[in-house]
Amino acid sequence: MTPVTIGVAGLGGYARSVGQVLLALHRDANHPIRFVAACDPCLSQHAERVAEFQAAGIRLFDDYTKMLAEPIDAVWLPVPIHLHRPF
């Protein structure tokens, strides 16, 4: 079975928790979900998280549209309520 690839929008707030869950799934080679990308407009504010994701092979972007250009199957949007509609 081919894993479903997923990206996540955001690295802070609720997205921080989502990223941890996805990273744990990513580390399980047999899990049907592969965490492959994340985006945040302020990557420099999350240096530790960026380093952790990069070490796991997760691609990082500073723009949501750049992440969407990647070959991913789904995107999790743990963003503030006022951003739901624009995303």
Side-chain angles (χ1 to χ4, degrees):
M1 177 167 141
T2 303
V4 173
T5 56
I6 190 166
V8 66
L11 295 178
Y14 181 57
R16 181 171 180 78
S17 298
V18 169
Q20 281 305 109
V21 169
L22 291 174
L23 187 58
L25 297 177
H26 179 76
R27 289 179 173 147
D28 176 357
N30 297 315
H31 201 280
I33 292 175
R34 304 298 319 146
F35 181 26
V36 298
C39 68
D40 194 287
C42 299
L43 291 173
S44 62
Q45 290 182 348
H46 307 281
E48 185 178 320
R49 172 57 45 101
V50 166
E52 182 179 28
F53 285 1
Q54 286 176 328
I58 296 159
R59 295 181 305 276
L60 292 156
F61 303 90
D62 61 2
D63 182 273
Y64 180 70
T65 57
K66 291 177 187 174
M67 184 177 72
L68 288 180
E70 291 293 301
I72 55 178
D73 299 315
V75 176
W76 196 334
L77 297 172
V79 296
I81 291 172
H82 72 280
L83 294 176
H84 284 188
R85 186 175 202 144
F87 277 85

